[in-house]
């Protein structure tokens, strides 16, 4: 008997170790609200601690966390129109997860999707219930391009969800289903996590509902260039939690939790040469995710504060080398953010910061690279004040900076405060006479800076498409579009031309 136990012991140890492969991360922003409707968007107590782990306690702690988490994680099915869009949003899933068709090419994949029946989803992901009245957090890329979103609970009950709002810059979305008394997860403070921390990932990978995997936090504050690299995020915030959890296609939008079953991150991406798990997963920290959904719920739009600096990441040796070569400087590779200039209406410049200063800390948050700066500022709102510590000529200094929005404002805005182009998510350039001649048109404007998830994007318009008419009226400038839609309520009709000269007429309800 003893001999048998000795033989089995190594396998038991290996089983325990191999069962530990996941990640999580989340951060509490400190923007508490006294409104009753915000009560479910609270973080756990700031002094929340993670249970100490050992080989004797792992099993029980994982079971308790799994029982808490699984009922609150849902499947999200994304249904899309396959006739209007030139480039399917599934391309974004490919970028996150690789080609799920084994490298047979995006063209064949897109063709296969376009030929699929209308009652089949174009993509599937996960989501997390964060309030008992049906608010669900997920990734932006899980819901992108959808004309219908179906939510399936762990008990197989199905709902059609309303998309409350999205934020491509953080890859976060907020949905709502009409139900009460739902199981939900509380946000934990992602500042409390440590590298090596045990965590669980719960989602629906590869169509396998309610899958739980375990692992550790491999790293914090990772910027992997995935959001801006797609050209969708105009001001991406990347400060991912890296994990070795077994995350696969379908896990996106799912939960990363600590051993208390508290939400510490939203699974977003994997780094892989095959499109499947190879040990590198990334999650949006809960502090950032929580701030985004609170903004969407309260204001209808994300409130984003900016320092107003142009910068160089001194930890990036390639960027530093390129900068030195271009500007004939001799900056040293290290940590911190080197200020190369300022934008218009810069709060940082008004606070006394200068070109050549090196930002080393924001409030009590050490700034070693751009991901740190992105997280520390991106989690704030216009009008917030931050203490910026900087190095100038070898001496440290501090400055109190009032953050501003991109237009220089210092107050929060709602959807009602947005301009027409902000509401519909695109800007417009006049159409040249040459284009009018080539396309046989008498009027038109060229769509520019079309925002992902915007009303214009939803009807299939992308950059460089030509808008001929809005509500039956010819348009030749952005002012024409603004005049037609200013204070307009109701359905909007848009007549446009794609890259191949095909003319479409589609519409949306004015937000």
């Amino acid at each position: 008997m003893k001999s048998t136990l000795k033989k089995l012991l190594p396998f038991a140890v290996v089983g325990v170790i191999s069962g530990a492969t996941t990640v999580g991360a989340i951060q509490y922003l400190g923007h508490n609200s006294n409104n009753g409707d915000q009560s479910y968007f609270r973080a756990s107590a700031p002094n929340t601690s993670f249970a100490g782990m050992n080989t004797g306690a792992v099993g029980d702690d994982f079971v308790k966390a799994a029982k808490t988490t699984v009922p609150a994680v849902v499947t999200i099915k994304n249904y899309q129109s396959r006739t209007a869009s030139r480039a399917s949003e599934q391309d974004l899933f490919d970028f996150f997860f690789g080609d799920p068709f084994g490298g047979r090419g995006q063209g064949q994949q897109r063709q296969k999707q376009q030929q699929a029946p209308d009652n089949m989803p174009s993509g599937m992901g996960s989501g997390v219930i964060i309030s008992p009245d049906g608010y669900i957090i997920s990734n932006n890329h899980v819901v992108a391009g959808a004309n219908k979103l179906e939510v399936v609970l762990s008990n197989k009950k199905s709902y059609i969800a309303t998309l409350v709002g999205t934020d491509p810059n953080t890859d976060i979305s907020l949905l709502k289903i009409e139900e009460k008394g739902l199981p939900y997860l509380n946000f934990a403070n992602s500042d409390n996590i440590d590298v090596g921390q045990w965590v669980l990932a719960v989602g629906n990978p590869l169509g396998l509902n309610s899958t739980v995997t375990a692992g550790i936090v491999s790293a914090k504050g990772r910027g992997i260039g995935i959001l801006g690299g797609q050209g969708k995020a105009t001001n991406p915030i990347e400060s991912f939690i890296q994990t070795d959890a077994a995350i696969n296609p379908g896990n996106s939008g799912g939960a990363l939790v600590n051993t208390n079953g508290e939400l510490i991150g939203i699974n977003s991406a994997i780094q892989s040469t095959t499109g499947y798990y190879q040990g590198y997963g990334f999650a949006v920290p809960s502090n950032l995710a929580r701030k985004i959904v609170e903004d969407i719920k309260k204001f209808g739009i994300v409130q984003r504060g900016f320092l107003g600096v142009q910068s160089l990441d001194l930890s990036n040796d390639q960027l530093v080398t390129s900068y030195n070569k271009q500007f004939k400087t001799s900056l040293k590779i290290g940590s911190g953010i080197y200020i190369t200039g300022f934008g218009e209406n810069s709060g940082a410049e008004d606070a006394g910061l200068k070109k050549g200063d090196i930002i080393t800390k924001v409030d009590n948050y050490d700034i070693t690279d751009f991901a740190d700066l992105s997280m520390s500022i991106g989690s704030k709102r216009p009008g917030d004040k931050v203490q910026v510590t900087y190095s100038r000529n070898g001496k440290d200094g501090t400055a109190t900076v009032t953050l501003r929005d991109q237009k220089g404002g210092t107050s929060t805005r709602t959807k009602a405060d947005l301009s027409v182009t902000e509401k519909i998510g695109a800007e417009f350039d006049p159409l040249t006479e040459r284009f009018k001649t080539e396309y046989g048109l008498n009027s038109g404007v060229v769509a520019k800076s079309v925002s992902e998830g915007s009303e214009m994007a939803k009807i299939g318009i992308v950059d460089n498409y030509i808008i001929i008419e809005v509500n039956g009226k010819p348009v030749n400038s952005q002012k024409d579009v603004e005049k037609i839609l200013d204070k307009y309520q109701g359905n909007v009709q848009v007549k446009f031309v794609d890259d191949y000269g095909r003319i479409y007429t589609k519409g949306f309800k004015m937000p």
Side-chain angles (χ1 to χ4, degrees):
M1 184 67 176
K2 292 182 178 179
S3 175
T4 302
L5 288 175
K6 288 181 179 180
K7 291 179 179 180
L8 291 178
L9 184 57
F11 295 100
V13 173
V14 170
V16 170
I17 295 174
S18 63
T21 21
T22 291
V23 148
I26 284 154
Q27 179 183 10
Y28 176 42
L29 300 170
H31 292 285
N32 293 324
S33 172
N34 293 324
N35 294 341
D37 64 355
Q38 295 292 316
S39 60
Y40 296 111
F41 291 81
R42 66 184 183 275
S44 300
N47 294 324
T48 297
S49 60
F50 295 93
M53 302 299 293
N54 56 60
T55 55
V58 167
D60 288 343
D61 284 340
F62 282 5
V63 169
K64 291 176 184 177
K67 285 182 177 180
T68 300
T69 307
V70 166
V73 175
V74 303
T75 298
I76 298 176
K77 298 181 180 180
N78 179 324
Y79 296 85
Q80 299 185 22
S81 169
R82 295 171 175 85
T83 57
S85 180
R86 176 185 63 176
S88 169
E89 291 294 345
Q90 184 67 29
D91 294 345
L92 184 57
F93 285 90
D94 296 345
F95 189 81
F96 274 82
F97 298 127
D99 184 357
F101 292 89
R104 282 181 277 164
Q106 290 182 351
Q108 290 185 13
Q109 177 186 344
R110 193 175 301 124
Q111 183 179 12
K112 182 171 182 177
Q113 286 179 329
Q114 291 173 345
Q115 293 173 348
D118 288 338
N119 62 348
M120 294 292 290
S122 299
M124 289 193 294
S126 303
V128 183
I129 303 172
I130 54 175
S131 71
D133 56 345
Y135 281 97
I136 297 169
I137 189 173
S138 185
N139 286 139
N140 173 68
H141 77 262
V142 168
V143 304
N147 54 31
K148 183 176 76 169
L149 291 165
E150 181 184 3
V151 169
V152 183
L153 305 187
S154 62
N155 62 8
K156 309 303 180 185
K157 193 171 182 179
S158 176
Y159 303 80
I160 299 302
T162 299
L163 182 60
V164 182
T166 66
D167 181 36
N169 288 316
T170 55
D171 194 31
I172 291 296
S173 62
L174 181 65
L175 296 77
K176 177 74 164 63
I177 59 174
E178 295 306 317
E179 187 58 277
K180 297 184 183 298
L182 293 169
Y184 67 97
L185 296 185
N186 284 321
F187 288 93
N189 187 344
S190 53
D191 281 347
N192 286 348
I193 68 168
D194 294 313
V195 173
Q197 177 77 51
W198 287 98
V199 288
L200 301 181
V202 183
N204 306 290
L206 305 173
L208 301 172
N209 293 338
S210 302
T211 296
V212 180
T213 56
I216 62 169
V217 175
S218 303
K220 300 193 297 182
R222 289 293 197 205
I224 57 178
I226 197 170
L227 300 180
Q230 278 292 291
K232 305 292 186 180
T234 53
N235 293 284
I237 303 177
E238 288 195 9
S239 188
F240 292 114
I241 305 301
Q242 182 183 329
T243 175
D244 63 355
I247 296 173
N248 278 295
N251 269 114
S252 274
L256 285 166
V257 299
N258 60 25
T259 53
N260 294 323
E262 298 164 321
L263 190 63
I264 58 175
I266 301 298
N267 297 325
S268 290
I270 61 175
Q271 184 169 314
S272 171
T273 57
T274 65
Y276 298 96
Y277 171 71
Q278 287 187 322
Y280 304 96
F282 301 92
V284 179
S286 58
N287 286 8
L288 180 58
R290 176 179 176 271
K291 185 263 182 184
I292 297 302
V293 296
E294 283 186 345
D295 279 357
I296 292 173
K297 189 170 185 286
K298 184 176 182 180
F299 303 105
I301 57 175
V302 176
Q303 309 293 324
R304 180 83 181 269
F306 292 87
L307 271 180
V309 298
Q310 298 161 359
S311 59
L312 174 69
D313 185 348
L314 293 179
S315 71
N316 189 317
D317 54 350
Q318 292 182 339
L319 289 179
V320 173
T321 300
S322 177
Y323 185 88
N324 283 337
K325 184 176 181 180
Q326 181 178 357
F327 296 99
K328 298 181 173 25
T329 54
S330 55
L331 297 178
K332 294 181 180 180
I333 298 167
S335 64
I337 301 298
Y338 180 84
I339 298 177
T340 62
F342 299 93
E344 295 183 7
N345 303 311
S346 169
E349 188 174 27
D350 288 348
L353 290 169
K354 296 181 179 180
K355 180 179 178 180
D357 289 348
I358 299 173
I359 298 174
T360 58
K361 185 178 289 190
V362 173
D363 292 332
N364 294 319
Y365 199 95
D366 289 331
I367 306 300
T368 59
D369 55 21
F370 188 76
D372 290 338
L373 183 66
S374 175
M375 182 69 180
S376 63
I377 298 299
S379 60
K380 305 292 185 182
R381 298 182 174 102
D384 286 350
K385 297 181 185 295
V386 295
Q387 289 291 323
V388 177
T389 302
Y390 60 90
S391 175
R392 179 184 299 166
N393 299 323
K395 296 182 179 180
D396 290 340
T398 60
T400 302
V401 179
T402 301
L403 303 181
R404 300 175 179 177
D405 62 25
Q406 287 186 294
K407 296 183 179 295
T410 57
S411 59
T412 57
R413 298 195 297 165
T414 66
K415 279 189 175 180
D417 300 318
L418 300 180
S419 66
V420 167
T421 54
E422 287 175 321
K423 287 180 179 178
I424 65 177
E427 297 180 352
F428 308 96
D429 287 343
L431 189 63
T432 64
E433 292 301 322
R434 179 176 67 84
F435 266 85
K436 289 182 180 180
T437 301
E438 287 183 0
Y439 282 88
L441 302 173
N442 294 318
S443 64
V445 291
V446 180
K448 296 290 184 183
S449 303
V450 179
S451 301
E452 182 182 5
S454 66
E455 301 303 326
M456 298 296 277
K458 288 176 184 177
I459 62 174
I461 293 175
V462 298
D463 284 1
N464 298 319
Y465 276 20
I466 299 171
I467 314 302
I468 306 172
E469 296 177 358
V470 175
N471 284 352
K473 298 178 182 179
V475 290
N476 290 289
S477 67
Q478 183 162 299
K479 287 185 177 180
D480 289 344
V481 178
E482 292 172 341
K483 184 177 180 181
I484 293 169
L485 297 181
D486 185 35
K487 295 181 174 59
Y488 178 81
Q489 295 180 339
N491 294 329
V492 178
Q493 185 187 76
V494 181
K495 190 174 183 179
F496 62 94
V497 184
D498 70 8
D499 286 344
Y500 302 101
R502 296 172 295 195
I503 298 177
Y504 301 88
T505 300
K506 292 195 170 291
F508 56 86
K509 185 175 179 61
M510 190 67 184

